[in-house]
Amino acid sequence: MARIPYFDMTQAPAAYTELLGERQPLNLYRMLPHAGPAAVGFLKLGGALLRNHELDAQLREVAILRVGILSKASYEVHQHKRVARSVGLDDAKIAALEEGADTAALTPMERDVLAFTDQLFHHVKAPDAMFEDMRAKLSTRALSELVLTVGFYMMVSRFLENFEVDIEPPGTIA
Protein backbone atom coordinates (compact mmCIF):
# COMPACT_ATOMS: atom_id res chain seq x y z
CA MET A 1 0.00 0.00 0.00
CA ALA A 2 1.26 3.45 -0.91
CA ARG A 3 2.95 5.39 1.88
CA ILE A 4 0.81 8.48 1.26
CA PRO A 5 -2.64 8.83 -0.28
CA TYR A 6 -2.83 9.21 -4.03
CA PHE A 7 -3.44 12.74 -5.23
CA ASP A 8 -7.06 13.81 -5.72
CA MET A 9 -6.98 14.08 -9.49
CA THR A 10 -9.96 16.47 -9.48
CA GLN A 11 -7.50 18.92 -7.87
CA ALA A 12 -4.64 18.30 -10.31
CA PRO A 13 -3.44 21.36 -12.23
CA ALA A 14 -4.71 21.68 -15.80
CA ALA A 15 -1.13 21.71 -17.13
CA TYR A 16 -0.67 18.25 -15.62
CA THR A 17 -3.99 16.71 -16.69
CA GLU A 18 -3.58 18.07 -20.23
CA LEU A 19 -0.22 16.30 -20.51
CA LEU A 20 -1.78 13.07 -19.28
CA GLY A 21 -4.13 13.18 -22.24
CA GLU A 22 -5.12 9.64 -23.20
CA ARG A 23 -2.51 7.88 -21.05
CA GLN A 24 -3.57 4.92 -18.97
CA PRO A 25 -4.79 5.86 -15.44
CA LEU A 26 -1.66 4.47 -13.78
CA ASN A 27 -1.04 4.88 -10.06
CA LEU A 28 2.25 6.56 -10.90
CA TYR A 29 0.29 9.37 -12.53
CA ARG A 30 -1.92 9.60 -9.44
CA MET A 31 1.11 9.98 -7.15
CA LEU A 32 3.13 12.43 -9.23
CA PRO A 33 0.98 15.56 -8.71
CA HIS A 34 2.21 15.69 -5.11
CA ALA A 35 5.48 16.96 -6.65
CA GLY A 36 3.79 20.15 -7.89
CA PRO A 37 5.24 21.74 -11.03
CA ALA A 38 7.98 19.09 -11.18
CA ALA A 39 5.27 16.57 -12.16
CA VAL A 40 4.73 18.48 -15.41
CA GLY A 41 8.44 18.38 -16.23
CA PHE A 42 8.49 14.68 -15.37
CA LEU A 43 5.70 13.94 -17.87
CA LYS A 44 7.34 16.05 -20.58
CA LEU A 45 10.73 14.35 -20.27
CA GLY A 46 9.22 10.88 -19.92
CA GLY A 47 7.01 11.51 -22.93
CA ALA A 48 9.95 12.70 -25.04
CA LEU A 49 11.99 9.61 -24.16
CA LEU A 50 9.10 7.23 -24.83
CA ARG A 51 7.35 8.86 -27.77
CA ASN A 52 9.69 11.25 -29.59
CA HIS A 53 12.87 9.22 -29.67
CA GLU A 54 15.53 8.16 -32.11
CA LEU A 55 16.88 5.38 -29.90
CA ASP A 56 15.48 2.03 -30.98
CA ALA A 57 12.46 1.21 -28.78
CA GLN A 58 13.71 -2.30 -28.00
CA LEU A 59 17.09 -0.97 -26.88
CA ARG A 60 15.31 1.66 -24.80
CA GLU A 61 13.28 -1.04 -23.07
CA VAL A 62 16.41 -3.11 -22.41
CA ALA A 63 17.83 -0.11 -20.55
CA ILE A 64 14.60 0.72 -18.71
CA LEU A 65 13.97 -2.83 -17.56
CA ARG A 66 17.57 -3.28 -16.45
CA VAL A 67 17.41 -0.07 -14.40
CA GLY A 68 14.15 -1.24 -12.83
CA ILE A 69 15.62 -4.65 -12.04
CA LEU A 70 18.81 -3.20 -10.55
CA SER A 71 16.71 -0.73 -8.54
CA LYS A 72 14.41 -3.54 -7.34
CA ALA A 73 11.52 -1.39 -8.50
CA SER A 74 8.70 -3.90 -8.93
CA TYR A 75 6.20 -1.38 -10.30
CA GLU A 76 8.65 -0.16 -12.94
CA VAL A 77 9.58 -3.68 -14.01
CA HIS A 78 5.92 -4.75 -14.11
CA GLN A 79 4.86 -1.84 -16.31
CA HIS A 80 7.83 -1.97 -18.66
CA LYS A 81 7.65 -5.70 -19.25
CA ARG A 82 4.29 -4.90 -20.83
CA VAL A 83 5.82 -2.05 -22.86
CA ALA A 84 8.81 -4.19 -23.86
CA ARG A 85 6.52 -6.90 -25.21
CA SER A 86 4.53 -4.30 -27.13
CA VAL A 87 7.71 -3.17 -28.96
CA GLY A 88 8.76 -6.72 -29.80
CA LEU A 89 10.95 -7.99 -26.96
CA ASP A 90 10.05 -11.61 -26.28
CA ASP A 91 10.00 -13.32 -22.88
CA ALA A 92 13.45 -14.90 -23.40
CA LYS A 93 15.01 -11.48 -23.95
CA ILE A 94 13.15 -10.00 -21.00
CA ALA A 95 14.34 -12.87 -18.78
CA ALA A 96 17.92 -12.29 -19.96
CA LEU A 97 17.81 -8.84 -18.36
CA GLU A 98 17.65 -10.25 -14.83
CA GLU A 99 20.80 -10.04 -12.71
CA GLY A 100 23.03 -13.04 -13.34
CA ALA A 101 20.87 -14.36 -16.20
CA ASP A 102 22.22 -15.97 -19.34
CA THR A 103 22.23 -13.23 -21.99
CA ALA A 104 22.46 -15.56 -25.01
CA ALA A 105 18.94 -14.55 -26.12
CA LEU A 106 20.09 -10.95 -26.57
CA THR A 107 21.65 -9.55 -29.71
CA PRO A 108 25.21 -8.19 -29.44
CA MET A 109 23.81 -4.64 -29.42
CA GLU A 110 21.31 -5.47 -26.69
CA ARG A 111 24.18 -6.91 -24.62
CA ASP A 112 26.15 -3.71 -25.22
CA VAL A 113 23.21 -1.63 -24.00
CA LEU A 114 22.86 -3.91 -20.98
CA ALA A 115 26.55 -3.47 -20.09
CA PHE A 116 26.39 0.29 -20.71
CA THR A 117 23.31 0.58 -18.49
CA ASP A 118 25.01 -1.40 -15.72
CA GLN A 119 28.04 0.87 -15.93
CA LEU A 120 25.98 4.06 -15.69
CA PHE A 121 23.82 2.63 -12.90
CA HIS A 122 26.73 1.49 -10.74
CA HIS A 123 29.51 3.95 -11.66
CA VAL A 124 27.78 7.00 -13.20
CA LYS A 125 30.23 7.35 -16.09
CA ALA A 126 31.13 4.93 -18.86
CA PRO A 127 34.85 4.38 -19.41
CA ASP A 128 36.25 5.97 -22.57
CA ALA A 129 36.46 2.71 -24.52
CA MET A 130 32.87 1.74 -23.72
CA PHE A 131 31.59 5.22 -24.53
CA GLU A 132 33.44 5.32 -27.84
CA ASP A 133 32.13 1.86 -28.73
CA MET A 134 28.54 3.01 -28.11
CA ARG A 135 29.23 6.25 -29.97
CA ALA A 136 30.34 4.23 -33.00
CA LYS A 137 27.11 2.20 -32.90
CA LEU A 138 24.54 4.90 -32.12
CA SER A 139 23.90 8.37 -33.42
CA THR A 140 24.75 11.20 -31.05
CA ARG A 141 21.06 11.76 -30.41
CA ALA A 142 20.37 8.07 -29.71
CA LEU A 143 23.35 7.87 -27.37
CA SER A 144 22.17 11.02 -25.58
CA GLU A 145 18.70 9.52 -25.25
CA LEU A 146 20.16 6.29 -23.85
CA VAL A 147 22.09 8.16 -21.14
CA LEU A 148 19.02 10.27 -20.31
CA THR A 149 16.82 7.16 -20.25
CA VAL A 150 19.06 5.41 -17.74
CA GLY A 151 19.13 8.48 -15.50
CA PHE A 152 15.42 9.22 -15.84
CA TYR A 153 14.38 5.68 -14.98
CA MET A 154 16.72 5.64 -12.00
CA MET A 155 14.72 8.65 -10.77
CA VAL A 156 11.40 7.00 -11.64
CA SER A 157 12.38 3.83 -9.77
CA ARG A 158 13.38 5.78 -6.68
CA PHE A 159 10.12 7.74 -6.73
CA LEU A 160 8.05 4.57 -7.12
CA GLU A 161 9.88 2.66 -4.41
CA ASN A 162 9.95 5.46 -1.85
CA PHE A 163 6.25 6.17 -2.18
CA GLU A 164 5.49 2.43 -2.57
CA VAL A 165 3.23 3.05 -5.56
CA ASP A 166 0.89 0.09 -5.94
CA ILE A 167 0.78 -2.05 -9.06
CA GLU A 168 -2.68 -1.70 -10.56
CA PRO A 169 -4.96 -4.72 -10.13
CA PRO A 170 -5.30 -6.94 -13.22
CA GLY A 171 -7.88 -5.66 -15.67
CA THR A 172 -7.72 -2.02 -14.60
CA ILE A 173 -5.51 -0.94 -17.51
CA ALA A 174 -5.49 -2.01 -21.13
Side-chain angles (χ1 to χ4, degrees):
M1 181 156 186
R3 285 179 155 174
I4 64 173
Y6 291 99
F7 197 87
D8 177 356
M9 294 303 287
T10 64
Q11 302 300 311
Y16 183 78
T17 56
E18 287 169 13
L19 280 172
L20 280 180
E22 299 299 315
R23 294 183 197 200
Q24 298 283 341
L26 301 176
N27 286 337
L28 167 61
Y29 300 143
R30 295 175 50 229
M31 189 62 76
L32 274 171
H34 287 298
V40 172
F42 179 103
L43 287 180
K44 286 182 178 182
L45 180 55
L49 293 172
L50 288 172
R51 292 172 188 79
N52 301 315
H53 56 87
E54 185 175 297
L55 179 65
D56 176 81
Q58 290 183 8
L59 297 177
R60 181 197 69 220
E61 291 305 315
V62 165
I64 292 170
L65 280 170
R66 183 59 169 198
V67 166
I69 289 164
L70 294 174
S71 298
K72 299 180 181 12
S74 58
Y75 184 97
E76 188 59 36
V77 172
H78 172 80
Q79 293 298 347
H80 274 273
K81 280 184 177 179
R82 186 173 51 84
V83 176
R85 287 182 186 103
S86 76
V87 298
L89 283 179
D90 62 30
D91 288 337
K93 288 186 179 210
I94 292 170
L97 302 176
E98 294 291 337
E99 288 184 272
D102 179 0
T103 61
L106 301 176
T107 67
M109 187 61 191
E110 290 165 343
R111 285 193 295 276
D112 288 345
V113 168
L114 186 68
F116 190 81
T117 299
D118 284 4
Q119 182 66 32
L120 271 56
F121 185 91
H122 292 296
H123 305 287
V124 181
K125 185 177 180 181
D128 289 343
M130 178 182 269
F131 185 85
E132 289 304 322
D133 182 59
M134 292 302 286
R135 192 167 161 230
K137 294 174 181 174
L138 296 172
S139 70
T140 301
R141 177 177 168 180
L143 179 56
S144 298
E145 289 173 358
L146 177 58
V147 171
L148 287 173
T149 296
V150 171
F152 181 78
Y153 281 92
M154 287 174 67
M155 177 185 66
V156 173
S157 294
R158 281 141 184 82
F159 184 87
L160 291 165
E161 286 302 298
N162 279 283
F163 288 96
E164 296 182 4
V165 175
D166 302 296
I167 295 173
E168 293 78 12
T172 59
I173 58 173

